[in-house]
Amino acid sequence: LKDKKLTTDSAETILELKNVCKSFGDNDVLKGINLSVKKGENLVILGRSGSGKSIAIKCLVGLIHVDEGEIKIFGTDITELRNDDLNDIRVRIGFLFQNGALYDSMTVRQNLEFTLKHHSPHVSSAEVDQAIIEALESVGLEEAIDKMPSELSGGMRKRIGLARTIIIKPEIILYDEPTTGLDAITSREISELILYVQKKYKTTSIIITHDMACAKITANRIMIIKDGVICAEGSYAELEKSKDEWVRSFFI
């Protein structure tokens, strides 16, 4: 854990939201979100339920169209892209869903193989086999290769979900509540695995979480959303000592 604080001050900005607004009818969810993520950085986003964290992530990958603002990924404003061009950027982004989102009718091997072949249809069988083994080794679950998702614990499903994410070698990974539903020990293992992936694959990540232990372990920087805007930003230690009682309430 001592190695987790990366020097990102001089790194290039990989991802940026500028004055992003999104409303659903009379419900103004995002009211001008501004954030940026440097190459190789883990940014944790905190916020109460309904604060707009998940909506911001969905806007980020173009699943929801913004009403106003810019979303720049690799320097390109994706709000102006056609679907084909947007897909060219999406293939460079991995997403770890809350429940792992594995295909229940496929073995672990088939889940990973399907993802890789969909992403890289011309990859050879030997390359597929090698990539599957490498991804499973990275999450410590080589022995689960022929198991069905129903045979896996919650923590194992998260690990396989992460293996399926990293098998395409994404430059950006978006983690949506990666430790939800897990016990404290397994949550810590997943959090430390996120750090391992960051170091091994040089990934840039956004981590949405309610788990403050996960935030403390994984974050290079933390942003807190309140009422549709970023209300605080800093390291875990800095925000824990904030003079703002509402910000400090996350750390109690």
Side-chain angles (χ1 to χ4, degrees), residues 36 38 42 90 117 197-198 211:
S36 62
K38 301 280 190 177
N42 277 353
R90 282 175 175 157
K117 285 188 172 181
V197 168
Q198 177 193 27
D211 182 351

Side-chain angles (χ1 to χ4, degrees), residues 161-172:
L162 183 52
R164 193 178 66 175
T165 299
I166 63 178
I167 200 169
I168 64 171
K169 300 293 195 303
E171 296 167 65
I172 296 172

Side-chain angles (χ1 to χ4, degrees), residues 177-208:
E177 299 286 0
T179 60
T180 291
L182 303 178
D183 61 78
I185 294 175
T186 306
S187 293
R188 183 175 182 86
E189 291 174 349
I190 295 297
S191 299
E192 291 177 345
L193 185 57
I194 290 171
L195 283 187
Y196 173 77
V197 168
Q198 177 193 27
K199 183 175 180 180
K200 179 174 181 177
Y201 295 99
K202 313 299 182 193
T203 54
T204 302
S205 300
I206 292 182
I207 303 157
I208 292 178

Side-chain angles (χ1 to χ4, degrees), residues 83-96:
N83 202 50
D84 288 347
D85 295 325
L86 180 57
N87 285 335
D88 289 340
I89 288 181
R90 282 175 175 157
V91 298
R92 301 166 69 182
I93 301 172
F95 204 124
L96 183 64

Side-chain angles (χ1 to χ4, degrees), residues 141-166:
L141 282 179
E142 308 96 298
E143 74 280 2
I145 189 168
D146 292 316
K147 291 184 180 293
M148 300 296 292
S150 59
E151 300 177 84
L152 306 176
S153 67
M156 293 172 73
R157 289 175 69 95
K158 293 274 190 177
R159 286 176 177 268
I160 297 303
L162 183 52
R164 193 178 66 175
T165 299
I166 63 178

Side-chain angles (χ1 to χ4, degrees), residues 212-228:
M212 295 309 296
C214 175
K216 186 174 185 178
I217 291 170
T218 60
N220 297 118
R221 193 161 47 99
I222 296 173
M223 287 185 167
I224 302 180
I225 295 181
K226 180 182 181 183
D227 296 330

Side-chain angles (χ1 to χ4, degrees), residues 109-129:
R109 182 198 304 269
Q110 291 167 335
N111 264 278
L112 270 62
E113 180 180 32
F114 178 84
T115 299
L116 183 58
K117 285 188 172 181
H118 179 76
H119 181 268
S120 305
H122 303 298
V123 67
S124 70
S125 296
E127 290 171 326
V128 169
D129 291 342

Side-chain angles (χ1 to χ4, degrees), residues 64-81:
I64 294 177
H65 296 291
V66 302
D67 298 329
E68 295 180 36
E70 295 181 355
I71 299 176
K72 289 188 176 181
I73 304 178
F74 308 117
T76 299
D77 184 358
I78 68 165
T79 64
E80 300 178 347
L81 294 183

